[in-house]
Amino acid sequence: MGAIDWSKSPKPSNTTVSFSFEWAMKNLSSGIHPTLPTKQALKHQGDRLEIPSAAARCEWDFSLSTVVSSSANAAVSDALGSIEFDPSNTVVATGGIARKIRIYSLNSLLPEDNIQLLTRGEQNDTAFLDHVNACSFYICTPAKLSSLRWRPGSGGRLLGSGDYDGVVMEYDLERKLPVFERDEHGGRRVWSVDYSHWDPFVGASGSDDGTMQMWDPRCGGEGGECVAKVQPAAARSSVCCVEFSPFGDSLIALGCADRMAYAYDVRKMVEPLHVLEGHTKTVTYVRFVDAQTMVSAGTDGCLKLWNMSDCGLIRTCKGHVNSRSFVGLSVWRHGGLLGCGSENNQVFVYDKRWDEPICARGLEPMARPGFDHAFVSSVCWRQVQEDHCTLLAGGSDGVLQVFEGTKIS
């Protein structure tokens, strides 16, 4: 999503919020409640609570399966700001600076010979592909893209995007056309979009205008009614990430440039349900690990796991390099693994049980003019429940990497 200097982020302050209560009464079931786990045994460290971590050990063997790049002579920036698997985990969408949404089938990214080798537990050879040949099709977009998200319940047909012009759009991939547009962030960059899992028509976006907005296209005019609007910090610090809980409850989490992560109950957004304080610089990503745990990433080079029952800090993960850029964050929930990029052009994998990385894999940048300092800018796990896993990583040089992991017996 580009290199941004967040070194002077403002202090947190009071929240401003507006909310459509008529919409809430009509669309939110009173039976939905956030899942609150029992307290865990915690060890006091300074003024935070943190679970002590055992020494990290790697139970996975990772290998680089595929590298997809553009022509070595291409001079146009093609930084990949977002990678997303569709609900079937067989189709991949990427977007970024090149103003294109590229759609890939997983079969095109994982050659059959490599899949057979992985199944037998043998080492595969890396396949080198070109975007032109590997991509099933692409859709040109009017602006640079910072975020993509598949809309639940659409059968992999609808893909939402947020762009640098402050516009949220939805694309029908069968017709290869935009079918929804929302321009309510005053032209300020939209960093993140997501969709609710309890009502997939409802979406949310976070922006440089300092707000998170929830909308419902069934209400209001062409762009849908804004059913809730939250400004976490009075100083209008950028909202860098939004994510609805995928576990059937009514939580939505935000990461902000005020160095805070927030969680709101969408039925009552007058004030945050949780305020997670611990990062020393901008919080760029928030992700739900499970119904009891959330992870946040910041430009302080840390991942922090949080107990959502009491805002307790479980552990801080360090090892990757991140001081100014969006480097991606993804959770493989079945395996309990966290993946993120790094400004030294490596992909890091953490196990949620430990605070040190279990794997760091890098790739030398492709020889292209103007890309001497490439970094990993986006990552995405394939959400399947198997003894092997797939992690995709996109670079600021436009290179897409596919890593395969097999569990060590």
Side-chain angles (χ1 to χ4, degrees):
M1 289 194 288
I4 302 294
D5 189 357
W6 296 111
S7 57
K8 298 182 179 179
S9 35
K11 293 280 187 180
S13 54
N14 297 330
T15 297
T16 302
V17 61
S18 60
F19 190 68
S20 171
F21 287 99
E22 180 181 355
W23 174 89
M25 295 298 292
K26 184 185 298 184
N27 292 281
L28 292 180
S29 166
S30 60
I32 301 176
H33 299 284
T35 304
L36 298 180
T38 57
K39 278 194 173 184
Q40 303 182 39
L42 299 172
K43 178 181 178 182
H44 189 269
Q45 295 189 355
D47 57 354
R48 303 298 305 172
L49 293 173
E50 190 163 353
I51 296 176
S53 176
R57 62 181 184 273
C58 185
E59 300 171 347
W60 295 86
D61 181 23
F62 288 93
S63 62
L64 179 61
S65 180
T66 307
V67 177
V68 187
S69 62
S70 297
S71 168
N73 296 322
V76 178
S77 177
D78 196 13
L80 298 177
S82 184
I83 305 171
E84 290 290 327
F85 273 101
D86 81 328
S88 72
N89 283 289
T90 61
V91 177
V92 177
T94 69
I97 302 300
R99 305 185 187 217
K100 290 180 181 178
I101 296 173
R102 291 191 178 102
I103 304 297
Y104 306 83
S105 71
L106 186 62
N107 289 338
S108 70
L109 296 177
L110 287 177
E112 185 63 29
D113 290 344
N114 283 1
I115 294 175
Q116 292 175 359
L117 287 170
L118 286 165
T119 302
R120 297 196 300 262
E122 300 176 24
Q123 190 70 28
N124 64 285
D125 294 325
T126 302
F128 290 87
L129 308 174
D130 189 277
H131 282 297
V132 174
N133 299 321
C135 178
S136 300
F137 64 90
Y138 66 86
I139 300 172
C140 293
T141 63
K144 301 173 183 178
L145 300 177
S146 53
S147 180
L148 296 174
R149 192 57 62 98
W150 299 85
R151 195 172 95 176
S154 68
R157 179 171 178 170
L158 297 179
L159 182 68
S161 70
D163 68 31
Y164 279 40
D165 290 346
V167 179
V168 174
M169 301 186 75
E170 277 184 11
Y171 291 87
D172 185 321
L173 299 186
E174 289 187 7
R175 299 164 57 194
K176 301 181 179 63
L177 292 172
V179 293
F180 174 81
E181 180 175 335
R182 189 171 190 278
D183 185 5
E184 300 296 332
H185 284 286
R188 303 295 298 278
R189 185 177 307 184
V190 172
W191 286 115
S192 179
V193 294
D194 194 22
Y195 291 98
S196 164
H197 295 264
W198 42 260
D199 187 346
F201 283 97
V202 177
S205 53
S207 168
D208 265 344
D209 68 356
T211 69
M212 183 281 293
Q213 298 184 22
M214 284 174 50
W215 72 88
D216 188 336
R218 298 167 298 186
C219 307
E222 183 177 344
E225 178 184 340
C226 181
V227 296
K229 182 177 179 180
V230 173
Q231 180 187 316
R236 283 192 174 272
S237 302
S238 298
V239 177
C240 301
C241 185
V242 299
E243 179 163 284
F244 287 96
S245 170
F247 298 103
D249 55 37
S250 55
L251 290 181
I252 184 171
L254 319 178
C256 297
D258 66 352
R259 298 174 282 188
M260 300 286 199
Y262 301 86
Y264 289 84
D265 184 335
V266 299
R267 301 164 302 169
K268 187 180 179 182
M269 297 183 69
V270 176
E271 59 184 15
L273 190 64
H274 303 298
V275 179
L276 306 176
E277 181 180 1
H279 286 281
T280 58
K281 296 177 73 175
T282 292
V283 177
T284 46
Y285 299 96
V286 287
R287 298 285 185 261
F288 287 91
V289 178
D290 52 44
Q292 297 84 28
T293 314
M294 194 179 83
V295 61
S296 58
T299 52
D300 53 4
C302 297
L303 305 183
K304 291 183 179 290
L305 284 106
W306 306 90
N307 183 328
M308 296 302 289
S309 66
D310 57 8
C311 303
L313 180 62
I314 299 172
R315 66 179 45 86
T316 298
C317 303
K318 295 182 179 180
H320 62 288
V321 180
N322 186 198
S323 62
R324 59 177 292 121
S325 303
F326 288 85
V327 297
L329 175 65
S330 184
V331 178
W332 182 33
R333 298 186 179 96
H334 297 307
L337 301 183
L338 316 174
C340 69
S342 179
E343 290 165 7
N344 61 2
N345 208 33
Q346 289 186 309
V347 180
F348 281 73
V349 177
Y350 295 86
D351 188 303
K352 69 178 184 179
R353 296 171 294 177
W354 302 305
D355 53 19
E356 295 179 353
I358 62 170
C359 178
R361 293 297 303 267
L363 180 74
E364 291 299 320
M366 307 301 285
R368 296 176 59 192
F371 295 99
D372 297 333
H373 304 288
F375 61 92
V376 176
S377 53
S378 54
V379 294
C380 186
W381 288 101
R382 186 180 182 218
Q383 299 295 334
V384 290
Q385 203 161 2
E386 300 174 355
D387 287 334
H388 69 265
C389 56
T390 304
L391 176 64
L392 271 61
S396 60
D397 54 3
V399 176
L400 180 65
Q401 307 170 42
V402 184
F403 293 90
E404 291 289 301
T406 55
K407 196 152 192 177
I408 301 171
S409 56

